[in-house]
Amino acid sequence: MANPNISQIVSIGLVSFLTGYYLRPYIGCVSQCTKKSKKHIHSRPPSSSSTTASSEESTEDSYYSEDSEEDEDDGIDINSTALNEIPGEVRMTLIVRQDLKMGKGKAAAQCSHATLALYKKITNPHSEAYNPDMVSRWEYGNGQAKITLQVPNQEEMDLLYAQAISLGINAYIVHDAGRTQIAAGSATVLGLGPAPKKVIDQITKDLKLY
């Protein structure tokens, strides 16, 4: 019974060898063709339109990713509850430095930082600045009113900041992280409020719109 088994094994091995020997050129061709096809696909240069779109997307993503990280904080938590007794419109004021010559997009990003920082302060129950009544007036009384003004330089901005603190208005100065247009640490925007317009106007009445 051993001999038939050996004969069968030898026969199967011989058939397998011959099959592999004759099919090897075809298998190699298929493999090489597949590799060339993949290489051709990956190395194909993009069209001019796709290159332009890709470049624009890369620039846009780079700009927003660089400027979207939160910049350094310069602010004191102020108890503004004494201002709750003052009637009238409640607003937030954003004051942009002009001597830095920021682009419109850059300035908008910095104003967004200031807006969010002020809102986080005044809505944080663990902060001295917590004032839900003022937030409610600002959010529901007059549609989260905001105004953007301009200041010529940092010296004037620092003076406005000190005046706001003395009047019990929450204030926040954004210091840029220096990833895009201006030097790191530059004071870019002063945010004030939310607070009654009557009080904020005591500080900003002489400033021009941005």
Side-chain angles (χ1 to χ4, degrees):
M1 295 296 292
N3 290 336
N5 288 339
I6 293 174
S7 299
Q8 290 177 1
I9 293 172
V10 172
S11 299
I12 293 172
L14 182 59
V15 171
S16 298
F17 171 80
L18 293 174
T19 301
Y21 179 82
Y22 286 107
L23 291 179
R24 181 166 55 89
Y26 300 100
I27 295 174
C29 177
V30 171
S31 176
Q32 291 298 321
C33 291
T34 303
K35 288 181 180 179
K36 288 180 180 179
S37 176
K38 289 182 178 179
K39 183 177 180 181
H40 176 71
I41 292 172
H42 288 299
S43 63
R44 183 176 58 191
S47 64
S48 58
S49 60
S50 63
T51 302
T52 303
S54 176
S55 175
E56 291 176 352
E57 290 174 2
S58 176
T59 302
E60 184 176 4
D61 290 344
S62 175
Y63 176 80
Y64 285 108
S65 65
E66 286 176 352
D67 208 71
S68 62
E69 294 187 31
E70 191 159 326
D71 297 354
E72 295 180 6
D73 176 2
D74 186 1
I76 302 172
D77 292 348
I78 298 298
N79 187 334
S80 62
T81 54
L83 302 180
N84 292 345
E85 304 302 321
I86 299 176
E89 178 186 343
V90 172
R91 68 166 48 170
M92 187 182 288
T93 300
L94 306 165
I95 305 170
V96 183
R97 266 182 67 182
Q98 291 303 289
D99 56 327
L100 295 176
K101 302 186 184 304
M102 292 181 287
K104 296 296 184 182
K106 178 71 173 180
Q110 300 297 291
C111 287
S112 297
H113 285 314
T115 300
L116 181 59
L118 289 171
Y119 186 77
K120 287 167 69 176
K121 282 175 177 287
I122 203 167
T123 58
N124 180 5
H126 304 292
S127 169
E128 183 70 19
Y130 183 58
N131 190 346
D133 292 338
M134 189 68 70
V135 173
S136 180
R137 288 173 61 185
W138 179 62
E139 288 185 328
Y140 305 109
N142 54 301
Q144 305 173 17
K146 292 176 284 293
I147 185 171
T148 308
L149 306 173
Q150 55 182 284
V151 67
N153 51 53
Q154 184 170 353
E155 289 73 20
E156 294 292 328
M157 177 181 283
D158 290 340
L159 179 59
L160 297 173
Y161 176 80
Q163 291 176 344
I165 297 301
S166 68
L167 292 174
I169 300 173
N170 264 297
Y172 181 96
I173 295 179
V174 178
H175 284 252
D176 188 62
R179 300 184 184 92
T180 51
Q181 300 177 11
I182 57 180
S186 300
T188 57
V189 171
L190 167 62
L192 304 177
K197 178 180 179 296
K198 292 179 180 179
V199 183
I200 293 182
D201 282 349
Q202 296 178 37
I203 305 170
T204 63
K205 62 179 181 295
D206 295 327
L207 300 181
K208 295 179 180 180
L209 291 171
Y210 174 72

